[in-house]
Amino acid sequence: MLDLLAHYLVSYLIARTIVEPRYALIIAFVGVVADVDALLGVHRWITHSTLGVLLASTPLLALAYVLGERYVKVVLLALLLYTLHLVLDLFTGPTPILYPLVGSIRVKLEVIGLYSDTGIALTPRITVETWKPDFTPQPAIEGPIVSEAGIILVVVTALVLVLDYLGKKRSVKQRIRAEHSITVRRWKR
């Protein structure tokens, strides 16, 4: 199961390509909203179903449409981040993403590599398993808040932010040099 930190950081990295980073910090929280069902004692419940997504997003999209195009963009981004949470969960455990049409689904992906003196072989394996969903409230729900995946994403996010900062710093210096050289040329004339 992906931890909350990993869901948040994946959402942030995607959101910052669409909206300003300061807004991405806020809207990325949508990437963890699906796990609110754990507070109700039933993890991976209706909040992990596209039916739940449609029920929640339809009135929000209608309201956003009335308010203006800017809001539609934000709601569509939030819908993308929420849906991404569900898709990521498909690879970590049974998720009722197509409930009530199909039970809970889990997808396992792996590529097995073999290197020998006869060559290299890659064997992809894809397994799709289904389970009957169990929406029985539990007295306790356990799940990771931070795990190896979250820590790896912290490192990746930090690198992206540092590289982004250095790139912007360099482009500002280039702009200043270009403006300075134009000023110098004008003055010499």
Side-chain angles (χ1 to χ4, degrees):
M1 168 179 345
L2 270 186
D3 59 80
L4 292 177
L5 179 62
H7 278 300
Y8 176 81
L9 290 174
V10 167
S11 296
Y12 171 73
L13 288 171
I14 290 170
R16 72 185 299 275
T17 66
I18 298 169
V19 297
E20 290 182 41
R22 63 185 173 149
Y23 297 127
L25 285 169
I26 297 166
I27 200 163
F29 280 104
V30 172
V32 298
V33 168
D35 285 335
V36 74
D37 58 2
L39 299 174
L40 303 172
V42 185
H43 188 228
R44 296 194 180 185
W45 186 40
I46 192 74
T47 60
H48 282 72
S49 169
T50 50
L51 175 63
V53 173
L54 289 173
L55 291 173
S57 65
T58 302
L60 285 175
L61 275 170
L63 178 63
Y65 182 76
V66 170
L67 294 174
E69 184 179 330
R70 185 174 119 208
Y71 296 100
V72 171
K73 179 181 169 182
V74 171
V75 170
L76 288 175
L77 175 58
L79 181 60
L80 170 72
L81 298 178
Y82 193 99
T83 304
L84 178 64
H85 179 115
L86 306 185
V87 171
L88 291 174
D89 276 359
L90 281 174
F91 297 97
T92 62
T95 305
I97 194 166
L98 297 175
Y99 180 82
L101 302 175
V102 178
S104 293
I105 300 170
R106 179 176 182 176
V107 178
K108 292 182 182 179
L109 280 174
E110 60 183 358
V111 177
I112 305 299
L114 172 68
Y115 173 75
S116 68
D117 53 353
T118 60
I120 298 173
L122 298 175
T123 307
R125 292 185 188 163
I126 301 171
T127 307
V128 178
E129 302 168 329
T130 59
W131 281 273
K132 183 179 180 206
D134 179 15
F135 299 141
T136 308
Q138 303 298 312
I141 302 286
E142 182 181 349
I145 295 173
V146 177
S147 69
E148 297 88 1
I151 300 300
I152 290 167
L153 282 168
V154 165
V155 172
V156 169
T157 303
L159 285 172
V160 167
L161 295 175
V162 166
L163 292 173
D164 190 40
Y165 173 77
L166 292 175
K168 286 180 182 174
K169 190 174 179 182
R170 187 175 320 141
S171 68
V172 168
K173 284 183 181 179
Q174 289 170 345
R175 249 186 290 138
I176 290 171
R177 284 185 188 136
E179 290 171 5
H180 178 69
S181 67
I182 291 170
T183 305
V184 169
R185 279 189 228 135
R186 286 184 187 155
W187 183 73
K188 286 183 177 180
R189 288 183 191 177

